[in-house]
Amino acid sequence: MINLTDNAINALRAAISTTGQPASGLRIMVDGGGCEGFTYKMDIAHGPSSDDAVVELDGIKLFVDSATQEHLNGTTIDFVVSPEGSGFRFDNPNAKSSCSCDKPCR
């Protein structure tokens, strides 16, 4: 369903290890509100919800709710460091276009 690059795995491990409380993984969601469509949200999670798919990649657990699963199928998440700033980048084959803000568009 979702792929993580080595850079993303390293960044996620670092983020999870620095939380003040125990975390079991990362919740990934797609939400309305980008320039022309959807935005991605990520948050440290303490466990899956009842309707979550749990994907484990290199020891990182990803929790994806049922409404989000179809939007993220085949997505690769990378962590990019550039002069414009560092952050996670989603390469989503389901996005029909991409805005200049790098958010997926409808």
Side-chain angles (χ1 to χ4, degrees):
M1 174 192 331
I2 298 173
N3 301 300
L4 297 174
T5 65
D6 289 341
N7 286 342
I9 289 169
N10 292 334
L12 290 171
R13 280 190 181 132
I16 290 171
S17 71
T18 61
T19 62
Q21 39 190 319
S24 59
L26 182 78
R27 177 167 308 287
I28 301 176
M29 300 160 285
V30 175
D31 195 19
C35 300
E36 297 182 26
F38 298 109
T39 59
Y40 300 110
K41 293 184 177 185
M42 298 170 54
D43 196 11
I44 300 298
H46 303 291
S49 297
S50 60
D51 70 337
D52 284 345
V54 179
V55 179
E56 187 165 349
L57 302 167
D58 273 344
I60 304 287
K61 287 184 183 177
L62 305 176
F63 307 123
V64 184
D65 67 57
S66 59
T68 298
Q69 291 174 28
E70 69 179 273
H71 297 293
L72 292 180
N73 193 27
T75 296
T76 297
I77 302 172
D78 192 11
F79 186 79
V80 179
V81 177
S82 71
E84 294 83 27
S86 301
F88 290 96
R89 178 161 300 175
F90 288 67
D91 181 15
N92 187 339
N94 303 304
K96 294 182 181 167
S97 62
S98 179
C99 302
S100 61
C101 64
D102 286 331
K103 305 244 187 301
C105 299
R106 292 182 192 180

